[in-house]
Amino acid sequence: MRLYKKLICIASALIFVSGCVGTRQSTPEGFIGISGTNLINPDGTAYFIKGTNLGNWLNPEGYMFGFGRTSSPRLINEMFCELVGPDRTAQFWKEFKDNYISREDIKFIASTGANTIRLPFNYRLFTDEDYMGLTKDQDGFARMDSLVVWAREAGLHVILDMHDCPGGQTGDNIDDSYGYPWLFESSESQALFCDIWQKIAEHFVNEPVILGYELANEPIAPYFKNVDDLNGKFMDVCKKAVQRIREVDNNHIILIGATQWNTNFKSVTDVSFDDKIILTCHRYGGEPTAESIRDNISFRDSTGLPMYMGEIGHNTFEWQRTFCEIMKENNIGYTFWPYKKRDNSCMVNFHVPDGWDDIICAFSESPRGDFGQVREARPDQEEAWRIMQEFTKNVRFENCRPDNEYIESMLLN
């Protein structure tokens, strides 16, 4: 009997100690976890996110090609089809995806001291919609699986960021939508949003290279008269997606950003519904001071959850270096935007071929509102196709130039 009482006392003590650990969540073996406002490695040490975004690879953005009003994936694809036809456009996209990000790119990112890459992707990679040269048998998982292999070899973690959601989550060019965040008003779009996230979670449930799932990039632009009403619907949609993810995957972290370019955390009204949530903010411009992100720090502290700067960059080297120091001082990890694009303001840049600006970009900016205007503006197709093929070669890692001063400003080491 005395032995029994002693065992009861020991068990009670263990339960008490376990409770005192408090904020550290249960983390499956090998996965990045959460302990209060910190991310933690499998060995219990702190994990501070430092890295970059693979923007433009699986969600093309016009400005990275040098385009202006031809700004979203849908508009870029339409312009290429008008320029050289749908078959050559499909071939261009395949070669672009093959060459823009490769094993060599990922090895290079790791060599700079980065530990994390954020992968923006379009939901259409998991549907039978027309996207980047395919109308069926989309290659979303094939591309992601390759990235996971390369990241594992290089010792990097990957954040999966749905940059373009069904119906549109932002209502601007960055979400490849039709100019309004219909995701928050359409039950059909929400169902597809949740279906895709569950499919992704089921596929990667046992993959520790994946750090987490970022539900929706920069939701709800500030332009709309009913922005407050849209903001009020934001968390309900997030909760639906998390519920579907948790039906198949309890291993991975969920990343939730704020509305209005990931700046307005007043719309993040509840973070208690899941035990593996981190918050993500964005910052372009403004003074490089802790005061400029005081609202983010205060919200982070009020929730007791980690905060991560998913996008930052496009500024002077001094500004970037100063902001990185501030983020490190305030325990906010970061991934710079973007890793690669034409000419400048990134870790690695490439030159566009001769004729790209004068022929391809000129066509992209020309009036093309009807078929007559398209015919009038179209340059020689063979010359345009030659330039497009050269472009897909120029983006290969071996033909790119690292910007060492830019990389130094990211304070990755």
Side-chain angles (χ1 to χ4, degrees), residues 200-274:
I200 291 171
E202 190 170 26
H203 185 81
F204 290 114
V205 57
N206 294 316
E207 181 49 72
V209 167
I210 302 295
L211 189 153
Y213 308 129
E214 185 171 341
L215 297 180
N217 175 69
E218 294 189 347
I220 309 172
Y223 310 131
F224 308 105
K225 293 179 180 179
N226 62 334
V227 66
D228 290 338
D229 179 57
L230 290 166
N231 284 349
K233 298 175 180 179
F234 171 63
M235 285 307 301
D236 286 342
V237 175
C238 290
K239 289 178 181 179
K240 289 178 183 177
V242 173
Q243 180 181 359
R244 291 289 300 280
I245 289 171
R246 292 303 183 222
E247 288 175 6
V248 296
D249 182 353
N250 288 307
N251 294 336
H252 285 99
I253 289 168
I254 306 290
L255 293 89
I256 295 179
T259 56
Q260 289 78 68
W261 316 125
N262 275 32
T263 64
N264 179 16
F265 278 98
K266 292 179 181 177
S267 56
V268 183
T269 54
D270 179 17
V271 293
S272 64
F273 64 94
D274 190 82

Side-chain angles (χ1 to χ4, degrees), residues 26-80:
S26 174
T27 305
E29 185 176 353
F31 287 79
I32 297 295
I34 297 173
S35 181
T37 57
N38 294 309
L39 292 176
I40 52 171
N41 285 301
D43 64 3
T45 58
Y47 184 91
F48 184 84
I49 293 174
K50 298 179 298 179
T52 190
N53 282 266
L54 302 184
N56 207 41
W57 182 34
L58 301 181
N59 70 315
E61 294 196 39
Y63 84 97
M64 296 201 213
F65 292 84
F67 305 149
R69 67 186 186 89
T70 304
S71 54
S72 71
R74 176 173 54 86
L75 296 178
I76 297 169
N77 184 74
E78 183 179 73
M79 183 271 292
F80 282 152

